[in-house]
Each structure stands twice: as C-alpha cells, then as structure tokens.
Amino acid sequence: MPFSIYVGNLPWRTTQEDLRALFEPYGEVQSARIITDRETGRSRGFGFVDMADEEAGRRAIAELHNYDYEGRPLTVNEAQARQGGM
C-alpha cells in the first residue's frame, strides 16, 4: 500500500515532474500529481505524492515541511482520507 503525502502551497508553475523530482531523493515515488481546476486546467497550488515506503515518506515529510521551494514554504504532511463523497 503506498504512503500518500499531501503537498500544499506549491508555486502555480510547478509540474508533476517537478513534484516527483522534489521527493525522489527520499525514496521510490510511485506517483506525483498536481491538482488542477476542472474548468481552467490550471494548478490549484497543491498535490499528492505516493511513495512506496512509509519510512521514506515520513522522512520526506520531516525534511520538506516548511521547506522553501521557489520562495514558498511548503506544507507537507500525511494525506488524510477524503471525508464524504462528491
């Protein structure tokens, strides 16, 4: 089961490849996705990273939370299951 991480306060121009590259030094990244607005297709400023290993994921959270990424302090924590349905 992958370890899911929420990443917030991303610069608008951050790509999924940028997000993957940010987390790869900590371990195997299974997926990295930027959440986009359904109507405009533009980034909403946050995303999710799934890592293969929980220990690596927790290390990435510890190192990258409040990390200055292109002038913005990142919010990085364990992703929470969505509440309710849409």
Side-chain angles (χ1 to χ4, degrees), residues 51-73:
M51 298 197 71
D53 179 64
E54 180 177 343
E55 184 179 324
R58 293 197 184 282
R59 191 168 54 250
I61 289 170
E63 296 278 330
L64 295 174
H65 184 65
N66 285 325
Y67 175 76
D68 185 320
Y69 184 69
E70 295 186 23
R72 299 180 71 143

Side-chain angles (χ1 to χ4, degrees), residues 2-5 7 16-33 48-53 56-57 60 64:
F3 184 75
S4 295
I5 300 169
V7 186
Q16 293 184 151
E17 293 77 21
D18 294 337
L19 188 57
R20 174 180 290 275
L22 184 62
F23 280 80
E24 281 181 334
Y26 301 97
E28 180 188 344
V29 175
Q30 292 184 327
S31 70
R33 57 201 180 283
F48 295 91
V49 174
D50 288 338
M51 298 197 71
D53 179 64
L64 295 174

Side-chain angles (χ1 to χ4, degrees), residues 72-83:
R72 299 180 71 143
L74 296 179
T75 300
V76 183
N77 50 49
E78 185 174 352
Q80 303 298 309
R82 288 178 73 168
Q83 299 294 317

Side-chain angles (χ1 to χ4, degrees), residues 29-47:
V29 175
Q30 292 184 327
S31 70
R33 57 201 180 283
I34 301 289
I35 305 305
T36 56
D37 182 275
R38 287 186 182 134
E39 294 185 14
T40 66
R42 293 175 59 183
S43 170
R44 293 182 58 197
F46 69 96

